[in-house]
């Protein structure tokens, strides 16, 4: 599952000193080769800043979508694909990113 993989990534990074800080970023700027991230609680510096804003699915606003979200309606094939293994599914939207078939 995607959530389990993410948890393993986090645990692995913590072994190398990762510290997770949840705060609202007010400003990001550079001082020479160092990046400064200023938040309401303080400032943090580093050689690299990774911005991971996440995403929100484009919803169809069709009948049943809200009621069945998480109960058959899914927005992430990577995270939820294993739940529907060996079942008939329908993929709607997403352009060329909606479905990718790997051929050998």
């Amino acid at each position: 599952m995607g959530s389990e993989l993410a948890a393993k990534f986090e645990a692995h990074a913590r072994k190398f000193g990762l510290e997770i800080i949840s705060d609202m970023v007010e400003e990001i700027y550079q001082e020479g080769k160092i990046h400064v991230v200023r938040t309401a609680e303080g400032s943090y510096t580093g050689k690299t800043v990774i911005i991971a804003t996440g995403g929100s699915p484009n919803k169809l606003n069709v009948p049943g979508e809200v009621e069945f979200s998480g109960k058959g309606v899914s927005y992430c094939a990577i995270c939820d694909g294993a739940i529907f293994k060996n079942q008939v599914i329908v993929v709607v939207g997403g352009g060329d990113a909606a479905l990718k078939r790997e051929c050998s």
Side-chain angles (χ1 to χ4, degrees):
M1 298 296 292
S3 59
E4 291 173 23
L5 182 60
K8 287 181 180 184
F9 283 157
E10 180 182 329
H12 181 76
R14 284 185 186 274
K15 288 181 183 178
F16 294 95
L18 170 71
E19 179 184 0
I20 296 178
I21 300 164
S22 295
D23 199 356
M24 183 66 67
V25 173
E26 296 177 349
E27 181 181 22
I28 301 174
Y29 58 92
Q30 268 187 282
E31 289 181 350
K33 292 185 178 185
I34 300 297
H35 299 279
V36 180
V37 178
R38 187 173 59 81
T39 72
E41 298 297 318
S43 293
Y44 307 92
T45 60
K47 294 179 183 177
T48 304
V49 173
I50 300 172
I51 300 173
T53 59
S56 298
N58 293 325
K59 298 192 176 173
L60 299 174
N61 297 316
V62 296
E65 182 176 18
V66 173
E67 301 92 286
F68 295 108
S69 181
K71 300 173 189 151
V73 172
S74 177
Y75 298 100
C76 180
I78 305 274
C79 304
D80 301 333
I83 296 169
F84 305 105
K85 186 175 181 177
N86 298 321
Q87 295 183 41
V88 176
I89 63 163
V90 175
V91 176
V92 179
D96 62 354
L99 179 68
K100 180 179 179 183
R101 181 176 178 189
E102 305 254 341
C103 299
S104 49

